[in-house]
Amino acid sequence: INDDLLAEAGTVSDQKEVYSPAFESNIVRIPHQQREIQITLQVSNYSMPHGGPFHVLLLGDESNIVRESNLSAYIEMILIGILLFSAFYYLGLFRLWPDDASAAYFGLFCLVVAFRLFITGERIGFNFFGDWLTAFRLDILTIHWIIPLFFLFELKTWPQRLSKRLAYGLVAFSLVNSVIVLLSPATVFISILP
């Protein structure tokens, strides 16, 4: 702000060897004594096909922005708790009745959705891993597993309503994509997103 560094995420550089990627949300207090301000964003990106701010910049009263950010994080934590409770409940049902695979698939579905919510949105869990690439790989892996797990749940719950070929095809597609996500650089696996 006005040529003063007030926030940073990662390391900006014009050299690939020096820069480091990061996903962070920052709330920055802008000096309000001046009538005009200059906001400068410095971005370097050698890891993904697209880069820059992940969310739009919000300008306004600091307390309102902090309150909105906290409210969003609280709602996410409540949803994560509900999803984890559901996941463990259904996985517990599967443990009691192992012949009913639908409970296992729904429990795993809830677990993956909870994990996805943990690392996206307000990105509560993104900093938890410490390594940007690991967190980003896990983020993308959750995208590849949410739909197949739900289709497997549907297939076991209502087998006459869903094609086995479609469900197992989605699982095979997700397995192939998961291997690509685990073994390739971000510039490659981000391009295969459905």
Side-chain angles (χ1 to χ4, degrees):
I1 307 291
N2 297 333
D3 295 327
D4 290 330
L5 179 63
L6 298 183
E8 63 183 334
T11 304
V12 177
S13 176
D14 60 354
Q15 300 172 10
K16 184 177 181 178
E17 301 76 31
V18 178
Y19 114 107
S20 67
F23 278 126
E24 286 183 36
S25 293
N26 292 308
I27 296 176
V28 177
R29 179 174 293 173
I30 297 175
H32 58 278
Q33 298 89 345
Q34 299 161 336
R35 194 164 161 79
E36 291 184 17
I37 58 169
Q38 178 183 354
I39 300 174
T40 305
L41 296 177
Q42 295 181 352
V43 178
S44 61
N45 176 26
Y46 299 96
S47 299
M48 296 177 56
H50 53 79
F54 197 76
H55 296 290
V56 297
L57 298 178
L58 295 175
L59 297 175
D61 182 58
E62 181 184 13
S63 62
N64 289 340
I65 293 172
V66 168
R67 184 174 44 251
E68 188 170 321
S69 176
N70 288 343
L71 179 64
S72 182
Y74 297 148
I75 290 171
E76 283 183 18
M77 287 187 271
I78 290 168
L79 289 173
I80 290 168
I82 291 168
L83 286 164
L84 287 175
F85 178 82
S86 298
F88 293 129
Y89 176 77
Y90 280 96
L91 290 172
L93 287 178
F94 176 68
R95 189 156 190 258
L96 292 173
W97 294 285
D99 294 338
D100 183 15
S102 66
Y105 290 133
F106 191 71
L108 290 172
F109 169 79
C110 290
L111 202 58
V112 171
V113 172
F115 187 74
R116 177 155 183 74
L117 193 55
F118 180 63
I119 57 177
T120 61
E122 288 294 315
R123 300 204 175 268
I124 298 166
F126 222 88
N127 297 327
F128 179 76
F129 295 99
D131 174 29
W132 169 86
L133 188 56
T134 300
F136 193 64
R137 283 184 200 280
L138 293 171
D139 176 6
I140 302 303
L141 284 171
T142 61
I143 293 171
H144 291 299
W145 281 103
I146 287 173
I147 294 173
L149 285 170
F150 190 76
F151 267 76
L152 289 171
F153 162 70
E154 287 275 325
L155 180 66
K156 293 298 179 181
T157 305
W158 298 284
Q160 68 282 2
R161 290 179 50 191
L162 193 65
S163 163
K164 282 186 182 182
R165 287 175 124 165
L166 176 63
Y168 295 137
L170 281 169
V171 170
F173 179 75
S174 293
L175 282 171
V176 169
N177 282 335
S178 296
V179 169
I180 292 169
V181 168
L182 291 171
L183 300 179
S184 66
T187 52
V188 173
F189 70 76
I190 192 72
S191 65
I192 63 166
L193 282 175

